[in-house]
């Protein structure tokens, strides 16, 4: 199966196309347009980019119209004047094209991990957001930006944008799903800031909303997130219930996320020494992971089993950590290293505890570094 | 000695004053103005706020002029019309007042640790930045914002704003100091992102610039920062040289920062087992700390001495950590806990290592939390 062309790559070419149009490079613009058209057919789905294409096509035609007299040999004002005239007349189109230009450039820079440059371009796109007339489209921009900032731990900015998006979605009954997602992002940021009680308020509100929408995926996801909050707050019993609900929900509708919910459940059973529950849950999780061919989760399952029920030797444990770390799953590795270190510390095996703690500090540094290009 | 009134408090009142003026509440506005005028005399220095005051005074007078006919009993258009007319005629003044309004509100929210709200207000101030005609004033805004975001670890945003400010300062020969400071901020962010080589480039450039400016404080500060970079890169020998230069520079011009430079120097001497250097440096640092009555640094000096030259018992060590933690010096505590944990780990005292590591994890959580209101 041929893999789809990533939309970022097409977007870069669209931005090039825009530059050629504004420079009145008719032949080159035409050639690039054909190339883009060809690639669009094989591109992964991206509605925004298709809209950008149609706007650009229209702008391209305006350029060609302007150029026509030249072909008749008539006198022709310089390109710079033509550009000014077109852009004055087509102020709204120009504004929209620039909005998309900066937005897609931001996405591209983000993907390249040039985060400072990505922020610059997002900010410029935001300045042009006034040309986007549709409220929902504005909210979509703010929502996507909040997601992006969440991933690079710009916590307060992410919350700010998710809050702005939420304020818009609240006005539109139809956009219940996005409201739930905004609340998930805000809660995720609050958990990063160790504000679990506040995160819980958002998550419970999200759960209630997801239930009203009767959206199976979102309901299960809400339970999963609430479970993590409860876990962090130390209420393992409630956390286990939430993870069980999440697992059941994902399972009933064949979502792959069942694996991670069962993993969290198994983890908590081990932690609270409910070994027979843990064994059953382990089998259930390994079965799911095998069905979805999820090698990573199989490693994670083996790791926690070895930690909580192994012979106390650490060789296989270290190997499992090596696998996770080599696959750059640093956040997972960090969480489990912390768990392993505390496990041995509690059991007064200080040598092992100290080993895992010092490995933890190393992974934390790599995590901070990893955020950077 | 009476302590100065914090400028944030006066700024909040100025914003209230602005609201009263726009609502044509002449008497209340007049009363509040007098109150503010009185407080300004006792306020800590803040040039921007004084400028805001003069602009507002001018705006106040315009309101009073508008209101005059009413006192003669003439017919009077409604306030909303008067407001629109004034603000249309005084577009630039209105823009500037709004810039200051949002800027100071942002500073106030920041101080209250309402970071999400602070970001909203800074963004609104930035939208009005076009009314600030002076390039340098714009750069000052961008610089201050970058500082603020640095403190709450919004790393990429801080770098983005510091970069923008730097681009402006570069055009003005006179603003060499600010250029050095911008580079310090960028380097600080890069160190937070574990990008020490890149940070070093900025710092070496900053040092060279500070030397050209012949600014003693900045030269010493540059060496101090370079020392930390070198320390993180593992070049302890070079780091010691840099800290020594920083200490000498601060000392020669009686800057209090000599204490922290000597502390870093002493720390590195202990770490590299240069005990006689460490002893001399310890005495020098304790002397400075005593002169400046700096209890905190005295505790930090005692702590590292106990760690590296104590009898191996951990009771006093733990007490010193308790003191630092109780004073909410979490970043310092984190750094030294890490050091203590690694110290014991290396000497195979795993019980102590594990204790300090697990205490470290707790402090890290408090640090993440502390960023939040």
């Amino acid at each position: 199966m041929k893999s789809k062309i990533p939309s970022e790559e097409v977007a870069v070419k669209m931005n090039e196309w825009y530059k050629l149009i504004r420079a009145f490079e008719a032949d080159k613009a035409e050639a690039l347009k054909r190339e883009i058209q060809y690639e669009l057919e094989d591109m992964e789905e991206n509605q925004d980019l298709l809209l950008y294409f149609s706007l650009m096509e229209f702008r391209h035609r305006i350029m060609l119209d302007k150029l026509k007299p030249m072909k008749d040999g008539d006198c022709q004002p310089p390109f710079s004047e033509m550009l000014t005239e077109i852009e004055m007349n087509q102020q709204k189109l120009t504004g929209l094209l620039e909005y998309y230009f900066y937005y897609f450039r931001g996405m591209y820079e983000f993907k390249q991990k040039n985060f400072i440059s990505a922020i610059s371009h997002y900010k410029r796109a935001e300045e042009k957001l006034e040309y986007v007339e549709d409220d929902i489209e504005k909210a979509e921009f703010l929502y996507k930006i909040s997601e992006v900032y969440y991933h690079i731990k710009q916590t307060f900015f992410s919350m700010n944008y998710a809050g702005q998006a939420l304020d818009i979605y609240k006005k539109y009954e139809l956009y219940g799903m996005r409201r739930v997602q905004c609340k998930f992002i805000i809660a995720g940021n609050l958990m990063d800031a160790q504000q679990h009680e506040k995160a819980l308020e958002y998550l419970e509100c999200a759960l209630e909303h997801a239930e009203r929408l009767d959206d199976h995926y979102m309901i299960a996801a809400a339970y999963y997130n609430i479970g993590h909050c409860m876990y962090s707050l130390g209420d393992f019993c409630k956390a286990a219930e939430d993870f069980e609900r999440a697992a059941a929900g994902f399972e009933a509708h064949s979502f792959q996320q069942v694996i991670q919910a069962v993993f969290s459940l198994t983890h908590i059973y081990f932690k609270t020494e409910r070994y027979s529950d843990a064994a059953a849950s382990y089998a259930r999780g390994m079965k799911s992971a095998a069905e979805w061919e999820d090698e990573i989760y199989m490693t994670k399952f083996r790791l926690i089993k070895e930690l909580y029920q192994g012979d106390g030797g650490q060789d296989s444990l270290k190997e499992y950590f090596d696998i996770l770390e080599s696959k750059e799953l640093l956040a997972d590795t960090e969480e489990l290293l912390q768990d392993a270190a505390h496990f041995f510390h509690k059991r007064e095996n200080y040598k092992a505890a100290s080993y895992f703690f010092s490995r933890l500090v190393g992974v934390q540094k790599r995590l901070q570094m990893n955020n950077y290009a």
Side-chain angles (χ1 to χ4, degrees), chain A:
Chain A
M1 209 181 86
K2 226 176 92 182
S3 70
K4 296 275 184 189
I5 301 173
S7 60
E8 290 82 11
E9 285 181 21
V10 185
V12 168
K13 285 195 180 170
M14 301 257 296
N15 283 355
E16 280 309 308
W17 181 23
Y18 189 35
K19 285 181 195 162
L20 290 174
I21 290 172
R22 296 185 75 241
F24 291 90
E25 297 263 17
D27 295 340
K28 285 186 192 164
E30 189 58 45
L32 191 55
K33 179 189 162 179
R34 270 195 300 272
E35 197 179 321
I36 292 167
Q37 235 164 351
Y38 183 76
E39 287 187 3
L40 279 180
E41 283 166 26
D42 262 331
M43 192 189 70
E44 56 183 20
E45 206 189 302
N46 188 327
Q47 290 297 332
D48 284 340
L49 200 64
L50 294 177
L51 179 59
Y52 186 31
F53 182 83
S54 344
L55 291 171
M56 195 88 83
E57 221 182 356
F58 183 63
R59 180 69 180 73
H60 192 157
R61 224 175 303 138
I62 295 172
M63 166 188 81
L64 293 178
D65 285 348
K66 267 277 155 196
L67 280 178
K68 259 183 203 153
M70 197 163 68
K71 284 179 183 163
D72 302 340
D74 286 357
C75 183
Q76 174 91 17
F79 287 154
S80 62
E81 273 176 33
M82 283 160 57
L83 184 64
T84 312
E85 195 201 321
I86 293 175
E87 297 197 334
M88 293 282 279
N89 287 334
Q90 302 284 338
Q91 212 183 340
K92 176 143 190 287
L93 176 65
T94 304
L96 271 177
L97 282 174
E98 288 187 344
Y99 163 73
Y100 283 111
F101 181 90
Y102 290 119
Y103 172 66
F104 283 114
R105 178 71 188 273
M107 287 295 175
Y108 175 77
E109 296 291 339
F110 186 84
K111 196 120 182 182
Q112 304 292 312
K113 292 199 167 197
N114 299 326
F115 300 126
I116 304 165
S117 166
I119 288 171
S120 295
H121 288 97
Y122 288 141
K123 278 176 63 185
R124 299 195 71 169
E126 196 180 348
E127 283 167 20
K128 302 288 172 191
L129 203 54
E130 59 182 304
Y131 292 101
V132 175
E133 273 175 3
D134 186 54
D135 247 16
I136 291 300
E137 259 195 81
K138 278 184 198 167
E140 290 289 293
F141 172 81
L142 298 166
Y143 172 74
K144 274 179 200 147
I145 297 296
S146 80
E147 267 191 326
V148 150
Y149 293 151
Y150 174 61
H151 285 299
I152 52 171
K153 301 248 175 178
Q154 305 295 287
T155 307
F156 302 113
F157 279 91
S158 175
M159 283 197 255
N160 184 296
Y161 282 96
Q164 284 185 66
L166 185 58
D167 285 340
I168 299 179
Y169 289 129
K170 272 182 184 164
K171 294 186 216 151
Y172 298 87
E173 198 52 52
L174 258 178
Y175 286 81
M177 278 275 276
R178 274 287 195 245
R179 276 152 76 175
V180 174
Q181 286 167 314
C182 283
K183 282 172 192 160
F184 281 171
I185 290 191
I186 295 173
N189 280 303
L190 285 166
M191 294 204 295
D192 280 346
Q194 303 288 332
Q195 299 293 315
H196 294 94
E197 282 93 352
K198 280 189 188 154
L200 204 56
E201 288 172 28
Y202 278 92
L203 291 173
E204 277 165 355
C205 184
L207 171 62
E208 194 217 356
H209 201 139
E211 277 170 343
R212 255 186 293 138
L213 295 170
D214 201 25
D215 184 291
H216 305 303
Y217 180 83
M218 285 294 167
I219 293 171
Y223 276 119
Y224 181 72
N225 289 330
I226 291 174
H228 272 288
C229 238
M230 284 300 172
Y231 176 89
S232 296
L233 288 168
D235 190 342
F236 294 155
C237 189
K238 173 75 170 57
E241 283 172 33
D242 293 322
F243 287 137
E244 178 49 74
R245 281 190 181 154
F250 286 133
E251 206 163 40
H253 302 89
S254 302
F255 290 114
Q256 189 175 353
Q257 283 75 0
V258 61
I259 310 171
Q260 65 194 71
V262 175
F263 176 78
S264 298
L265 185 61
T266 313
H267 189 188
I268 226 165
Y269 283 148
F270 274 130
K271 222 178 161 76
T272 50
E273 296 174 13
R274 290 163 65 175
Y275 293 114
S276 69
D277 287 331
S281 184
Y282 179 87
R284 178 183 175 193
M286 282 298 267
K287 190 165 162 279
S288 283
E291 278 166 14
W292 288 94
E293 295 175 13
D294 191 331
E295 289 289 342
I296 288 165
Y297 263 100
M298 285 163 87
T299 305
K300 287 176 73 175
F301 273 107
R302 287 188 190 108
L303 188 153
I304 51 167
K305 191 174 182 209
E306 181 65 31
L307 174 63
Y308 288 95
Q309 290 205 300
D311 58 6
Q314 292 117 49
D315 289 348
S316 355
L317 207 52
K318 287 175 189 175
E319 260 176 54
Y320 294 136
F321 276 116
D322 290 343
I323 295 172
L324 294 182
E325 221 183 313
S326 71
K327 291 191 193 296
E328 293 293 320
L329 299 162
L330 301 182
D332 288 341
T333 311
E334 184 197 18
E335 201 193 318
L336 291 168
L337 277 172
Q338 215 173 102
D339 208 48
H342 284 300
F343 175 89
F344 288 113
H345 183 78
K346 218 168 139 189
R347 273 154 195 81
E348 298 180 5
N349 182 345
Y350 297 116
K351 188 175 177 180
S354 191
Y355 167 83
F356 288 109
F357 272 128
S358 86
R359 199 164 163 172
L360 169 68
V361 171
V363 168
Q364 286 173 335
K365 279 200 183 150
R366 285 191 62 206
L367 260 170
Q368 290 171 310
M369 189 162 18
N370 217 40
N371 261 334
Y372 199 81

